[in-house]
Amino acid sequence: MNKRLLELIRISNTVGQDTSLVQGGGGNTSVKTDDAKYMYIKASGTALKNMNSKRGWRRLKTAAVQDIFADKSLPKMDVSSRELEVVNRLLRTCEDDVSGKVRPSVESPMHVVLDKCVIHLHAIAAQAYTSAKNGKSEVLKLFKDEQFPPLWVPYANPGFELGHKVFRLVDGYVKKHGRKPSVLFMQKHGVLVASQSADGALELVRKVISRCLAGLGQSEPASRLSATKEQIENCKHNITKALFEKTGRKTNVGFCLNRTVKQFLAAGHPWQMLRAGALTPDEMGFVDSPILWLKNCKYQTVAEKVRTALSKNQALPNSFLVKDIGLFVAAEPALASAVRDIVVASLFIRRNAHNMGGINALSSGQRDFIKNWEAEKFRVQLAANGG
Ligand SMILES: [Zn+2]
């Protein structure tokens, strides 16, 4: 097998195991061939930890991807037809033996313009900064001794707009510093590192994460909270019942009380930190309704909260944080662990961003774009499956 593909699988599997670095199918990785003509990149919809020699990646022609972003007609197109066009063009840049219409990551363009090995993560330690109001200045402070500072990427809608923005910003960085950035902090999104070698990229991940964590300072000690079995079962029962009342379906409800959840519950005003809506496009994909705060787990309390959420035209809530007890997640078994990991990540980011200077969540306009874009992606998926 190609050596670069082997490297891609190795770095993907390494970072993909750690839910503080990526959750669900999030994040992506790429490795370019030595002549830089091709780039192996994670396929859309596969988890990094599940990538292997047969699946989870595509090989595309780098020059062809560059051409898409040099095309002056695309920025002028209306959003929905443009996003569809970009997905189709990205598919046509693929040159490999992968059967079917497995799509390369929509974030491929960001990878093409950077050094040989790229790792993009939704790493909570970095996201505490990218989701904080004063995140940019805190990041620059954190890396002030570096000759080549990280590149801060202001929020852009996912898909073409983000790719386009990264293209322009990297270009500007090269003009200023004489080389490409090796660390990119992407507002309300995540972090990206690039290096000429796979080990160099992994090392950079470790360095960036440990520096971010150190900057977050001492985290409050987790409280010695412990819920009884009866309390947990009672909560599960009442949440299931309240959701059943709305859907007519029995949903699987799971419980989680790890260090992050305990720290969040022990913080001064946990409900305030939940008020801000989804933090990132990724969070929106899994948790379309705010994480609900419950002062207690009585049936009436849960039912009332669910009713209120629905009356505000929000999606059916799937995560519930109960005072003094813990986190409950209602999701289909196949999605349960991904939703839990995303919610736990969100709790970590919210608490730290709040402490840093305030949470900077997605605006309603940014959320609307993602809703439409997701619908678009779904159509594309259907089209892809239908041939
Ligand atoms: Zn991402």
Side-chain angles (χ1 to χ4, degrees):
M1 201 200 319
N2 184 286
K3 218 172 138 193
R4 301 300 162 223
L5 175 57
L6 274 174
E7 281 179 341
L8 177 76
I9 297 167
R10 179 165 69 87
I11 58 174
S12 302
N13 293 166
T14 305
V15 295
Q17 308 288 343
D18 186 343
T19 58
S20 74
L21 298 179
V22 281
Q23 310 80 33
N28 41 61
T29 45
S30 67
V31 179
K32 295 172 195 74
T33 53
D34 294 344
D35 58 9
K37 271 192 186 160
Y38 296 97
M39 176 171 81
Y40 290 94
I41 186 158
K42 191 195 107 161
S44 197
T46 320
L48 286 168
K49 64 178 177 197
N50 296 333
M51 190 194 287
N52 59 39
S53 60
K54 294 200 174 56
R55 66 187 196 99
W57 54 270
R58 298 287 326 236
R59 189 184 76 158
L60 37 82
K61 290 177 279 183
T62 50
V65 180
Q66 302 252 23
D67 287 347
I68 301 177
F69 286 82
D71 186 336
K72 298 241 180 343
S73 69
L74 285 167
K76 292 177 199 143
M77 284 173 79
D78 79 277
V79 174
S80 58
S81 36
R82 182 188 67 207
E83 295 303 311
L84 193 64
E85 174 71 14
V86 170
V87 166
N88 286 330
R89 286 211 205 171
L90 274 176
L91 261 176
R92 290 202 294 272
T93 67
C94 293
E95 197 177 281
D96 52 31
D97 298 328
V98 176
S99 55
K101 286 188 177 173
V102 179
R103 284 182 287 135
S105 165
V106 291
E107 288 167 345
S108 300
M110 308 191 294
H111 292 247
V112 160
V113 287
L114 295 167
D115 283 345
K116 194 171 183 177
C117 298
V118 177
I119 302 180
H120 162 51
L121 301 168
H122 299 160
I124 58 173
Q127 286 175 295
Y129 295 82
T130 57
S131 290
K133 285 182 177 151
N134 54 343
K136 182 181 179 182
S137 60
E138 290 299 315
V139 162
L140 294 178
K141 245 192 265 170
L142 214 51
F143 293 87
K144 66 177 186 305
D145 57 329
E146 296 288 323
Q147 191 189 352
F148 299 104
L151 174 64
W152 178 266
V153 181
Y155 185 80
N157 290 322
F160 182 79
E161 287 177 38
L162 177 59
H164 210 246
K165 183 167 256 179
V166 171
F167 258 58
R168 279 192 292 110
L169 291 173
V170 168
D171 205 40
Y173 189 99
V174 173
K175 283 189 181 116
K176 187 171 176 195
H177 297 283
R179 53 159 286 175
K180 292 177 177 184
S182 54
V183 180
L184 291 81
F185 279 83
M186 300 153 74
Q187 191 176 37
K188 303 184 196 182
H189 187 152
V191 67
L192 200 145
V193 305
S195 169
Q196 287 304 348
S197 73
D199 286 329
L202 286 172
E203 183 51 39
L204 211 43
V205 168
R206 279 187 280 273
K207 179 181 156 184
V208 169
I209 299 304
S210 67
R211 186 133 352 153
C212 286
L213 283 174
L216 296 180
Q218 289 297 317
S219 52
E220 298 110 63
S223 66
R224 268 182 281 162
L225 205 66
S226 65
T228 66
K229 228 178 165 180
E230 286 75 20
Q231 282 175 311
I232 296 168
E233 286 313 311
N234 180 46
C235 288
K236 281 188 180 175
H237 175 80
N238 289 339
I239 290 170
T240 310
K241 195 172 152 195
L243 293 176
F244 183 84
E245 198 189 53
K246 293 292 167 201
T247 61
R249 274 183 295 117
K250 192 170 180 292
T251 324
N252 171 56
V253 176
F255 175 66
C256 174
L257 183 62
N258 62 12
R259 189 178 162 79
T260 299
V261 176
K262 284 181 181 177
Q263 283 177 327
F264 195 90
L265 287 173
H269 304 285
W271 64 91
Q272 276 186 357
M273 297 188 280
L274 297 178
R275 261 193 218 141
L279 302 178
T280 62
D282 209 42
E283 182 175 332
M284 257 195 86
F286 285 91
V287 195
D288 200 6
S289 188
I291 301 164
L292 285 193
W293 170 256
L294 298 172
K295 274 189 284 189
N296 62 61
C297 220
K298 288 181 190 145
Y299 170 72
Q300 286 82 352
T301 311
V302 186
E304 180 61 34
K305 281 274 191 171
V306 170
R307 229 174 285 138
T308 310
L310 292 176
S311 72
K312 289 183 194 160
N313 264 340
Q314 289 165 351
L316 189 73
N318 63 1
S319 28
F320 306 82
L321 195 62
V322 186
K323 184 173 187 269
D324 296 337
I325 295 185
L327 173 69
F328 294 84
V329 171
E332 302 304 319
L335 279 176
S337 62
V339 175
R340 181 202 59 215
D341 291 346
I342 297 257
V343 173
V344 169
S346 179
L347 296 181
F348 180 93
I349 300 164
R350 281 167 197 272
R351 186 172 59 80
N352 285 288
H354 174 82
N355 290 346
M356 196 182 295
I359 299 168
N360 189 15
L362 294 173
S363 69
S364 61
Q366 290 163 350
R367 286 203 302 268
D368 284 346
F369 179 93
I370 294 157
K371 269 187 202 149
N372 298 329
W373 187 64
E374 287 297 324
E376 198 56 50
K377 274 207 307 191
F378 185 60
R379 261 183 39 200
V380 174
Q381 188 73 54
L382 283 183
N385 291 343

